[in-house]
Amino acid sequence: MAKENQSLTNEFILKGLTDHPVLKTLLFLVFLTIYLVTMVGNLGLVALIFMERHLHTSMYIFLGNLALMDFCCSSAITPKMLQNLFSKDRMISLYECMVQFYFLCLAETADCFLLAAMAYDRYVAICKPLQYHSMMSRKLCIQMTTGAYIASNLHSMIHVGLLLRLTFCRSSQIDHFFCDILPLYRLSCTDPYINELMIYIFSMPIQIITIATVLISYVYILFTVFKMKSREGRGKALFTCASHFLSVSIFYICLLMYIRPFEEGDKDIPVAIFYTIVIPLLNPFIYSLRNKEVINVLKKIMRTYNILKQT
C-alpha cells in the first residue's frame, strides 16, 4: 500500500555546478569557450583527414573517428549544462536522461576501442614495419572501426534499455551536472541490482580487454625500441607514440578515477568535468601539434587561403 501511495517521478532536477550568480556567468563563458574550441578542433580534424587523401591511412582513420566521438561526448553534456546555468528549474525528463547517457556511453565506449586500435596500429608500425601495410590494410581498419561502433551502440543500448525497468519515487534531484546512470540508480525505488550487475558483466570486460591491448602493445613497443642500435631511430619511434601515449594515459587515469564503487556518494565533479569536457578539448591539440603531417596540411591550407585572399 505504501508503494501505491508513492508518486512516481519522470522528471529530475540536475544539481548543477553552483548557485552563485557571478560564478554562473564566469562558468558559462568558460565552458562555452571550451565547447566552441572543442567543436572547431575535433570537427576540423575530421574534415582535414577526410579531405586530404594522403591522410587516409589506418592511424588517421582511427584518429578521425576518435575526434568525432570526442565531439559527440562534449555535445552530449555541455549544451544542457550551459542551459542549466541560467535555468530556474534545471529540469530534465527521464527520456532526455536516457538520450544524454546513451550518447555519452556511446562516445566513451568507442573511445576505449579506438584507443586500443591505435595502440595496436603503433605496435605494428614500430615492431613490424615491413608488414605494416599488409597487416593494417584499409579493409581491416574499416572492420575495426565498424566493430567499435557496433559494440559501443550495443553497450549503450543495453544500459539505457535497462533503465526502463526502474521506477523513480524518491528524491527527484540528481547530484550531478549531467544525467549519469549511477545517480539515477540511487533514486530508484526498484532494486537496481540487475542494472548494476549488467555494468559489471558488460563494462568490465570492455575495460579489461582495451587496457590489456594498450599495455601489451606498449610493452612490445618498448622492447623493440630498446633493441634499436640507432639513437635517432629510438627517438623517432618514441616520438611516433608520444601523442597517443599521452592521450591514452590521460583518458584511462580519469576513467579509473571516475568509475569508482557504487557505494560512494557524489562523484568527484572536477574529475567528471575533466573526463567529459576537457579531454575532448585536449585530444585534437595533442595529436595535431605533435604531428608533422597534420601541421604541413594546415600550412598548405593557410598558404592556399592567403593566395586566394590576395587574388
Side-chain angles (χ1 to χ4, degrees), residues 27 39 79 110 135 137 142 196 247 253 255 276 284:
L27 289 174
M39 281 200 303
M135 290 182 68
S137 64
I142 292 171
E196 293 175 355
S247 177
I253 288 170
L255 177 64
T276 59

Side-chain angles (χ1 to χ4, degrees), residues 117-129:
M118 292 168 76
Y120 177 74
D121 178 84
R122 293 301 84 197
Y123 155 73
V124 177
I126 293 171
C127 301
K128 300 184 179 181

Side-chain angles (χ1 to χ4, degrees), residues 253-269:
I253 288 170
C254 291
L255 177 64
L256 294 174
M257 289 176 66
Y258 186 70
I259 52 172
R260 287 173 291 182
F262 297 133
E263 289 76 14
E264 284 197 13
D266 297 344
K267 294 289 186 183
D268 189 345
I269 297 297

Side-chain angles (χ1 to χ4, degrees), residues 180-298:
D180 197 4
I181 199 169
L182 298 184
L184 277 178
Y185 291 169
R186 290 194 286 270
L187 300 180
S188 173
C189 51
T190 306
D191 187 359
Y193 171 75
I194 294 176
N195 300 64
E196 293 175 355
L197 181 63
M198 290 301 105
I199 288 179
Y200 282 115
I201 290 173
F202 290 103
S203 300
M204 292 303 291
I206 290 173
Q207 301 304 326
I208 291 169
I209 291 169
T210 54
I211 291 173
T213 302
V214 171
L215 290 176
I216 292 169
S217 297
Y218 272 102
V219 166
Y220 277 103
I221 287 170
L222 288 175
F223 277 134
T224 303
V225 169
F226 289 142
K227 287 179 182 178
M228 292 179 179
K229 296 179 180 179
S230 168
R231 186 175 179 180
E232 184 180 346
R234 286 198 299 269
K236 186 177 179 181
L238 290 173
F239 183 83
T240 302
C241 298
S243 298
H244 177 262
F245 184 76
L246 177 60
S247 177
V248 80
S249 298
I250 293 171
F251 178 82
Y252 279 112
I253 288 170
C254 291
L255 177 64
L256 294 174
M257 289 176 66
Y258 186 70
I259 52 172
R260 287 173 291 182
F262 297 133
E263 289 76 14
E264 284 197 13
D266 297 344
K267 294 289 186 183
D268 189 345
I269 297 297
V271 174
I273 290 172
F274 201 87
Y275 179 61
T276 59
I277 297 173
V278 178
I279 287 179
L281 168 72
L282 294 178
N283 275 341
F285 296 101
I286 290 172
Y287 285 104
S288 300
L289 296 178
R290 294 183 59 87
N291 192 302
K292 292 181 180 179
E293 288 183 308
V294 173
I295 291 172
N296 289 336
V297 170
L298 287 173

Side-chain angles (χ1 to χ4, degrees), residues 28 42 48 53 67 91 109 179 195 217 285:
F28 180 86
N42 284 291
L48 201 69
R53 185 165 293 182
M91 298 295 291
T109 308
C179 199
N195 300 64
S217 297
F285 296 101

